[in-house]
Amino acid sequence: MRTFVALAALGLALCGGAGTASAGAGAHADSCAGAVAGWGTFTAVINQTAIVQNGVVTSETHTMVYSGFLAGMEDAPIVAADDLHIIYRSGKIDLAVPYKDGANLYFRNNSAVATPGRSGGWYRLCEM
């Protein structure tokens, strides 16, 4: 009987865990400009809508315009996603673009070990 109770409890725990998958949907539009030492100036205009499930982008549309050292990121492919950002990569730049309000715009030099500003080498470009 104890074995059955223990297995039943384990089954409930596994069923409960199955419903906790990470999913997010949102839309975000904003713009900002600034400068980063060693990189130069930039301007970012972002309008992005996305659905992300377990780190996989299942739906995404965007209109983005970048200038300065971010020029060309408009056509960068998606390489990853989290609960707030879709991450694009072009050359040595990774750009974490928010798809939910309250998230910020981040970049990192993916060829360097670390960039000051955020763990994992991430640097906050703008509060959005």
Side-chain angles (χ1 to χ4, degrees), residues 34-106:
V36 177
W39 288 85
T41 61
F42 70 91
T43 301
V45 180
I46 299 161
N47 186 351
Q48 177 166 247
T49 302
I51 298 172
V52 176
Q53 295 179 325
N54 296 321
V56 176
V57 179
T58 59
S59 176
E60 185 269 349
T61 59
H62 70 260
T63 302
M64 299 182 213
V65 179
Y66 300 105
S67 65
F69 78 88
L70 296 179
M73 290 300 296
E74 299 90 342
D75 301 318
I78 296 170
V79 295
D82 63 25
D83 290 341
L84 299 173
H85 302 90
I86 295 178
I87 301 168
Y88 299 86
R89 177 171 290 162
S90 180
K92 60 184 178 179
I93 295 176
D94 288 349
L95 193 63
V97 179
Y99 67 93
K100 289 185 180 177
D101 290 339
N104 299 308
L105 180 66
Y106 292 92

Side-chain angles (χ1 to χ4, degrees), residues 36 42 104-107 116-118 122-128:
V36 177
F42 70 91
N104 299 308
L105 180 66
Y106 292 92
F107 100 103
R118 186 175 179 206
W122 289 99
Y123 179 87
R124 185 176 69 203
L125 295 174
C126 307
E127 291 185 27
M128 299 189 132

